[in-house]
Amino acid sequence: MAAAEWPGSANTLKGVILDMCGVLYDSGEGDGVAIPGSIEAVQRLKQSDLQLRFCTNETQASRDRFVAKLQRLGFDISVSEVFSPAPAAVSVLKERGLRPHLLVYDGLLPEFDGVDQTNPNCVVMGDAAEKFSYQNMNDAFRVLVGLDKPVLISLGQGRYYKETDGLKLDVGVYMKALEYACDVKAEVIGKPSPMFFQSVLSDMGLQPHEALMIGDDLVNDVGGAQGCGMKGVQVRTGKYRASDESHPTVSADGTVDDLKEAVELLLRHRRL
């Protein structure tokens, strides 16, 4: 994508929101691996006049542990800059007096320490990986079908994501199974929920047209941001597939090879 084709007027932008897995790094054994150029791209953004936030559907670790991993990979990032579904879900649970049955990865459990989990009246599910066993799915199913008004909360609805050894099924696949079995519509907290994107914009003090989202997921990153009134650029890293560029319902405002190219184009266009 040439600089002249950069979406909208780059000079009106005041903030950038970055997806993490597939944009900054590929998860996998150990801490995973940083995508070439992404560490430097984050540094370039932090040296610019743009506000920067990170928006992730990561639900396999608490924010503290997740950020510590990114720091070990070499990223200049702090917990206060990262927005993830679990803390947002905790706020919703407390506001509505909901007691969750948790179907989440063990590393995420500390995020829910302050939430009453006795006699569950809802199910909260995240990317539970190997915890998505028949028994655990059936336990969640039994909670939901035993409720007069079942509530299913999903920390995202992604179909798949990329790790260093290939693609992995994401929470959305299992969310759909419980929706079908229980005849219930899940409430999604995380991307592509407009409320989730709006919480990031509110933290930055920006209007949607003043911020740009960069991600590898055409539907949840780009489409979610566009649904909130933002521009969305897709990188050809992470879960990107060539078929994304002819998607029947979502079209990116721009597609670039990686985060480094996106940042260089953005900053160059702001100087034109």
Side-chain angles (χ1 to χ4, degrees):
M1 183 175 69
E5 298 171 332
W6 189 263
S9 173
N11 288 324
T12 66
L13 292 176
K14 297 181 180 179
V16 174
I17 302 172
L18 300 181
D19 179 35
M20 302 179 80
C21 183
V23 176
L24 302 184
Y25 79 109
D26 285 325
S27 61
E29 186 176 352
D31 292 334
V33 295
I35 293 172
S38 59
I39 294 173
E40 295 77 12
V42 170
Q43 291 174 337
R44 290 272 285 146
L45 285 172
K46 290 209 163 190
Q47 292 165 358
S48 74
D49 61 344
L50 293 164
Q51 292 193 62
L52 178 62
R53 297 292 187 275
F54 303 88
C55 187
T56 179
N57 274 2
E58 164 65 38
T59 56
Q60 287 196 4
S62 65
R63 277 195 303 172
D64 288 345
R65 294 186 63 180
F66 180 56
V67 169
K69 175 176 73 173
L70 272 292
Q71 291 172 340
R72 288 193 296 271
L73 288 175
F75 290 97
D76 177 10
I77 184 172
S78 63
V79 172
S80 63
E81 296 171 316
V82 176
F83 288 76
S84 61
V90 168
S91 296
V92 170
L93 294 171
K94 291 181 176 180
E95 287 171 5
R96 293 166 58 180
L98 293 172
R99 303 179 303 277
H101 169 87
L102 297 174
L103 179 52
V104 300
Y105 201 73
D106 286 349
L108 195 67
L109 291 174
E111 294 275 19
F112 296 88
D113 282 347
V115 177
D116 183 5
Q117 298 171 39
T118 60
N119 190 24
N121 57 2
C122 73
V123 168
V124 173
M125 63 189 307
D127 176 17
E130 67 270 11
K131 292 290 184 178
F132 281 131
S133 65
Y134 175 82
Q135 179 177 333
N136 290 341
M137 286 288 289
N138 202 51
D139 287 345
F141 162 74
R142 286 177 171 176
V143 171
L144 290 170
V145 296
L147 297 171
D148 291 335
K149 296 181 179 180
V151 176
L152 173 60
I153 295 175
S154 185
L155 308 181
Q157 62 178 27
R159 295 178 297 164
Y160 55 84
Y161 58 93
K162 182 184 177 185
E163 289 197 347
T164 52
D165 62 348
L167 298 176
K168 302 291 179 70
L169 289 175
D170 204 349
V171 63
V173 177
Y174 303 93
M175 178 196 82
K176 289 295 184 181
L178 287 178
E179 283 186 330
Y180 176 67
C182 303
D183 194 22
V184 63
K185 180 67 174 177
E187 301 177 31
V188 177
I189 296 179
K191 298 176 293 184
S193 165
M195 184 182 300
F196 190 60
F197 280 107
Q198 188 57 56
S199 69
V200 186
L201 291 169
S202 296
D203 183 72
M204 302 168 82
L206 300 181
Q207 296 299 312
H209 69 275
E210 297 175 316
L212 173 74
M213 176 74 200
I214 301 175
D216 68 322
D217 188 318
L218 182 66
V219 174
N220 293 310
D221 294 337
V222 173
Q226 290 172 335
C228 195
M230 300 163 55
K231 295 291 186 180
V233 167
Q234 186 181 24
V235 292
R236 297 187 181 97
T237 54
K239 66 169 62 175
Y240 166 84
R241 292 291 176 270
S243 58
D244 290 347
E245 299 192 38
S246 57
H247 193 279
T249 59
V250 182
S251 177
D253 293 296
T255 306
V256 295
D257 286 339
D258 51 32
L259 179 60
K260 181 179 180 181
E261 181 186 6
V263 171
E264 291 302 325
L265 282 171
L266 170 60
L267 297 181
R268 187 187 318 149
H269 203 59
R270 284 171 64 80
R271 293 193 296 266
L272 295 179

